[in-house]
Amino acid sequence: MNIFRLAGDLTHLASVLVLLLKIHTIKSCAGISLKTQELYAIVFATRYLDLFTTYISLYNTLMKLIFLGSSFSIVWYIRKHKIVRRSYDKDQDTFRHYFIVLPCFVLALIIHEKFTVREVLWAFSLYLEAVAILPQLVLLQRTRNIDNLTGQYVFLLGAYRALYILNWIYRYFTEPHFVHWITWISGLVQTLLYADFFYYYFQSMKNNGKLQLPA
Amino acid sequence: NPKTAAKDEL
């Protein structure tokens, strides 16, 4: 495992911890999109089916369990926790799941490595992850005044994707025959979705100001 | 194995 991959995974882990910190200690999920969190839960549930069939490493297994557990517990907190759920911006978080899930599933039926249940679901999870952030970005755009932890959360998620791209470039040059179009293209699309957010994030850092997206 | 290379990622 190279340094970019490790840094990417740790950044992903940090993003989840920041979100759990906000939810668990501040008891607030204001500005967090339940739709995005539910999509991530679907992403991990469909991608990590190989937990039962293939063993890669202890690191791999532990991280998968952490991402599965955290994504489902975040959804639980926002939907069921008696205090947290009150802070959920339900009226603002209006993105429809099936607008995202359905096209991804159809795409996975068309473009996959092998036509088996596991491979189609794996491709589906990659396509879905690529666009799962959209409800969150729409919500940020609508709430405009973004609190620090929410801003950090989205920033860390974007950084994780950027580091994965560096990881693929590194692997391409260091490993023989490392070519993986489905992963690369969906990963690139996913990272590009953060470009606009990154722009305003760095602008706000430069001005020492609060992160505010334009109307 | 190039087919499964990305499967060791999260």
Side-chain angles (χ1 to χ4, degrees):
Chain A
M1 184 161 59
N2 62 66
I3 187 72
F4 303 113
R5 160 78 198 283
L6 182 65
D9 286 349
L10 294 181
T11 314
H12 191 189
L13 194 61
S15 76
V16 173
L17 289 177
V18 165
L19 186 51
L20 278 171
L21 179 83
K22 179 181 158 86
I23 289 176
H24 192 82
T25 49
I26 307 172
K27 297 277 186 286
S28 163
C29 64
I32 298 298
S33 165
L34 174 64
K35 305 291 166 78
T36 285
Q37 297 307 319
E38 287 176 337
L39 293 174
Y40 280 137
I42 299 171
V43 165
F44 296 134
T46 48
R47 187 176 312 160
Y48 297 162
L49 284 173
D50 64 350
L51 263 177
F52 303 104
T53 53
T54 19
Y55 178 78
I56 294 159
S57 65
L58 182 63
Y59 171 85
N60 204 279
T61 303
L62 281 178
M63 292 296 256
K64 282 174 177 170
L65 289 174
I66 291 172
F67 289 131
L68 269 172
S70 58
S71 64
F72 277 92
S73 57
I74 289 165
V75 169
W76 179 87
Y77 261 115
I78 301 176
R79 296 190 82 110
K80 301 286 180 200
H81 191 280
K82 62 181 190 297
I83 301 166
V84 175
R85 71 175 189 197
R86 275 188 236 145
S87 56
Y88 171 50
D89 305 318
K90 195 178 179 180
D91 301 330
Q92 304 273 10
D93 190 23
T94 52
F95 220 102
R96 304 283 171 89
H97 292 93
Y98 53 84
F99 279 151
I100 293 184
V101 174
L102 216 64
C104 288
F105 192 70
V106 172
L107 190 62
L109 286 174
I110 302 166
I111 305 174
H112 46 254
E113 284 187 352
K114 256 186 275 169
F115 193 61
T116 62
V117 174
R118 239 180 71 191
E119 288 296 328
V120 170
L121 286 179
W122 184 76
F124 166 72
S125 82
L126 286 172
Y127 304 144
L128 188 59
E129 188 189 1
V131 290
I133 195 66
L134 284 175
Q136 180 64 64
L137 293 175
V138 168
L139 185 60
L140 286 186
Q141 189 82 40
R142 284 185 179 162
T143 31
R144 299 205 44 217
N145 277 309
I146 300 151
D147 67 87
N148 271 331
L149 287 178
T150 307
Q152 305 297 353
Y153 168 67
V154 178
F155 172 75
L156 287 167
L157 269 180
Y160 142 62
R161 294 317 309 182
L163 285 161
Y164 253 66
I165 287 182
L166 295 179
N167 154 55
W168 294 328
I169 294 170
Y170 182 89
R171 291 188 80 168
Y172 178 79
F173 287 109
T174 54
E175 290 174 32
H177 318 298
F178 186 73
V179 180
H180 222 96
W181 292 112
I182 292 178
T183 322
W184 289 354
I185 292 171
S186 47
L188 194 64
V189 168
Q190 185 174 3
T191 315
L192 287 174
L193 292 181
Y194 289 90
D196 191 57
F197 173 84
F198 273 140
Y199 175 79
Y200 291 106
Y201 185 87
F202 287 119
Q203 286 278 313
S204 76
M205 269 190 11
K206 222 168 58 185
N207 307 326
N208 282 320
K210 261 182 89 73
L211 177 59
Q212 255 194 348
L213 300 184
Chain B
N1 185 352
K3 276 281 178 196
T4 57
K7 302 266 163 68
D8 62 7
E9 292 178 349
L10 300 159

